[in-house]
Each structure stands twice: as C-alpha cells, then as structure tokens.
Amino acid sequence: MTTTAIEKTGGRSEQRHTPGTAPRKRRPGRLRALGLPYLLLLPALLLELLVHLVPMVIGIVMSFRELTQFFIRDWTSAPWAGLDNYAVSVDFDAPVGEALLASFFTTCLFTLCSVGLCWLLGTAAAIFMQETFRGRGFLRALFLVPYALPVYAAVITWAFMFQRDNGLVNHVLHDQLGIGDSPAFWLIGDNAFVTLLVVSVWKGWPFAFLIMMAGLQNIPKEIYEAAALDGAGVWQQIRRITLPSLRPVNQVLILVLFLWTFNDFNTPFVLFGKAAPESADLISLHIYQSSFQTWNFGTGSAMSVLLLLFLLVVTGGYLLLTTRGRKASDV
C-alpha cells in the first residue's frame, strides 16, 4: 500500500498524503543542519587559537630550554634543558626558589584579602540597592564607574594620589586630619601591600556588585514578605533566604575573582613599575622580572607553567567541592 498519491491537475502534479499517515518533512541541507554553526564559530576559534593557545604551547616548549638573551634571535636553537628550569624554580633552599615561594605566599594573602573584601562590598551594596529610593539609578551607575574605567588610567591616577609629598592621600590623612608624625610612603616598604590591596578592591568590587545584583533579581519578593510576616528580621532574611539563594552565583563569582586577582599583572606593574616592593611582589610580576630583567626566559617560562598547573588544580578542586556540595544540598 502506497502512502502518497499523485494527482495531475491543470498540467501540474500535486503530492498528497493519504489519511492516517504522517507527512514527509523536507530535510534541510547537510551544511545548514550540521556545518553552519561550526562555520560561524570558526573565526572565534581561530582567534582563540592564535591569541591564547599558541603562545601557551610556545611557553611550555620554552620552559624545557636554556633560553637566555643569547638565543633571542632564534629561540628554537637554545639548548635543551629538560626539567632543569623546573628544578631551579622549586628548589626553595636556593635564592631563586626562595624568592618564588615568598612571592607565592604574598600572592595568596593578597588574593584572599582582595576577593573577600570585593565579595563583601559587592554583596552589601547589591542588597542595599534592592530597596527603591530616590537616586538609586544614579548610585548604581556611580558604583560601576571603577569597573568601566580603563585599568591603566585608573591605576595611574591612584599612583599620583599615593605620592608621598604631593599626593591626595597624605594631604587628607596627614595635613587635614593630622594622622601620623610625617607623610607615609605608600608606594614602597610595607605600606605597598596596603596600597595594592586598596586599588585592587576599588577596581574589583563593582564586578561583584553587578553579578550579585543580577542574582538578587531572581529571588521572588513573596519569600521575603512571607518571612517578614513570620517575624524574621533583616539579618535573618539575609542569612536564611538571600545567601542560600545566591549560592550558585557566589560559586562562580568567587572563582572568577580568584583567577583574576591571582593573575593580576596590570595593577602592580602600573602602580610600582618593573620592580615591586617585597611586600607587594605578586607572582605575576615576579615571573616578569625573572624573565625580562634577568633575561632567563627558560626559568621564567617554567615558573609560568607551574603557576598554570597550580591554578588548574585549585580550579578543579573548587569545582569538584562545589558540585558535591550542590548535589548534597539538593538531596
């Protein structure tokens, strides 16, 4: 029994489906169905390969060579070093490894303080901005200015403000408020860590504010109204409703802030120059100094690969723990 019947009417043929049978759908072309999405993604993939993956592979290869200033013209002719560059980097009894370890601990402390303060300020500002009041739109736009400004322009401005003799910070603290016997040095010594932390938090907390404010939009207001009728105060609502509801957003936000802060190079480089004080010697700037000031690109590349491995391990462990915690809470 055939499923279709051909009828010729007026010199043309029509194909009709017999009752009880599904009409045959015309399949799109193979390129349109399968190849077109990948074809549209191809330019982005090529740029990603060119900008990120290719330099990363070259850096890994360089870490296995004795690449110094004598082989800059043709780095592929540098002698093969094997794991010697890695051995030098992790030899914490030697000066190179000891300096790298100190920079690593400084970066960990800086990242912990910066991410914690960014999250705290961003969360507090986002919760505060949920209430309707006059001027809320202006404050939202004002809070996002540090995130919208170019990094170099913002950090250079902070560097001028932290100058000892004619900076705005010492003018306010020492000249106006009378704090301290003499103007403080903010860009050298132990105060450099505080300076770097202030600039990093000022630059990074608007991103946390933006993400948390977007996450708060998905929490129904009826839940807060029901909690208020049950006698729950503001702090109880934040602890019992807001923070648990924002857990998935917080998991992504903290990871992104951690990666950005731990890898931050622009802020200390623009703020302190090529040589940062010991108290603010972040590992990204330390690797730059080990590579471009001592002209030992092999050791610097090995340090970069070790940093990459550390971030991959931390990211994988964090995602594993958060995924397990989410599944346990769902059960």
Side-chain angles (χ1 to χ4, degrees):
M1 178 178 181
T2 59
T3 57
T4 59
I6 304 291
E7 294 182 359
K8 291 186 178 181
T9 57
R12 65 177 182 178
S13 61
E14 294 182 357
Q15 183 175 0
R16 295 183 180 181
H17 297 276
T18 57
T21 60
R24 177 180 294 179
K25 296 182 179 180
R26 186 177 181 182
R27 296 182 179 181
R30 192 173 187 83
L31 178 63
R32 184 179 181 86
L34 299 177
L36 183 59
Y38 297 99
L39 185 62
L40 296 176
L41 289 175
L42 185 60
L45 292 176
L46 292 177
L47 288 176
E48 182 73 18
L49 180 66
L50 181 64
V51 175
H52 292 286
L53 296 181
V54 172
M56 183 177 65
V57 173
I58 294 176
I60 294 175
V61 175
M62 288 170 55
S63 66
F64 294 101
R65 294 181 178 273
E66 295 180 6
L67 183 59
T68 60
Q69 68 269 27
F70 302 106
F71 302 97
I72 295 299
R73 183 181 297 272
D74 185 11
W75 67 272
T76 58
S77 63
W80 189 261
L83 297 177
D84 292 344
N85 293 325
Y86 293 92
V88 171
S89 301
V90 298
D91 186 6
F92 302 131
D93 295 329
V96 176
E98 184 181 359
L100 180 62
L101 185 63
S103 177
F104 173 76
F105 286 132
T106 301
T107 307
C108 290
L109 178 61
F110 166 74
T111 303
L112 180 64
C113 296
S114 179
V115 172
L117 290 175
C118 287
W119 178 86
L120 182 62
L121 292 176
T123 303
I127 294 175
F128 174 73
M129 286 296 169
Q130 293 305 303
E131 299 295 333
T132 303
F133 57 90
R134 180 176 297 179
R136 185 178 67 167
F138 173 76
L139 282 180
R140 284 182 174 179
L142 185 64
F143 286 168
L144 294 177
V145 168
Y147 183 68
L149 284 176
V151 175
Y152 283 88
V155 178
I156 288 175
T157 303
W158 276 104
F160 279 112
M161 292 172 60
F162 278 112
Q163 292 293 326
R164 179 182 184 272
D165 297 326
N166 53 3
L168 179 62
V169 176
N170 278 336
H171 176 72
V172 173
L173 295 179
H174 181 262
D175 299 339
Q176 300 294 329
L177 300 179
I179 299 176
D181 298 332
S182 61
F185 290 94
W186 293 104
L187 299 178
I188 60 175
D190 295 336
N191 291 333
F193 182 86
V194 179
T195 302
L196 182 61
L197 182 62
V198 169
V199 177
S200 177
V201 172
W202 177 86
K203 183 171 60 71
W205 81 268
F207 175 76
F209 163 70
L210 183 65
I211 298 301
M212 298 298 286
M213 188 171 59
L216 287 172
Q217 305 298 321
N218 296 324
I219 303 177
K221 295 183 179 181
E222 291 78 6
I223 301 179
Y224 292 101
E225 295 175 356
L229 292 176
D230 291 338
V234 176
W235 293 110
Q236 290 180 336
Q237 293 179 16
I238 294 175
R239 189 178 62 175
R240 301 292 185 181
I241 300 176
T242 305
L243 294 181
S245 300
L246 292 176
R247 183 176 300 173
V249 178
N250 281 325
Q251 291 173 355
V252 178
L253 174 62
I254 292 176
L255 179 61
V256 172
L257 287 177
F258 167 77
L259 294 176
W260 283 359
T261 307
F262 207 95
N263 282 319
D264 190 12
F265 172 81
N266 295 329
T267 302
F269 182 78
V270 178
L271 198 60
F272 304 116
K274 296 180 180 180
E278 185 178 355
S279 62
D281 186 22
L282 298 187
I283 194 169
S284 58
L285 192 58
H286 184 84
I287 294 175
Y288 168 80
Q289 294 171 356
S290 301
S291 301
F292 292 93
Q293 290 191 358
T294 63
W295 295 93
N296 196 338
F297 296 100
T299 304
S301 299
M303 293 179 181
S304 300
V305 175
L306 291 175
L307 176 61
L308 174 63
L309 294 177
F310 170 76
L311 294 178
L312 288 176
V313 170
V314 172
T315 303
Y318 177 82
L319 293 176
L320 182 62
L321 291 177
T322 53
T323 303
R324 288 184 177 179
R326 187 184 304 176
K327 291 181 179 180
S329 61
D330 292 340
V331 174

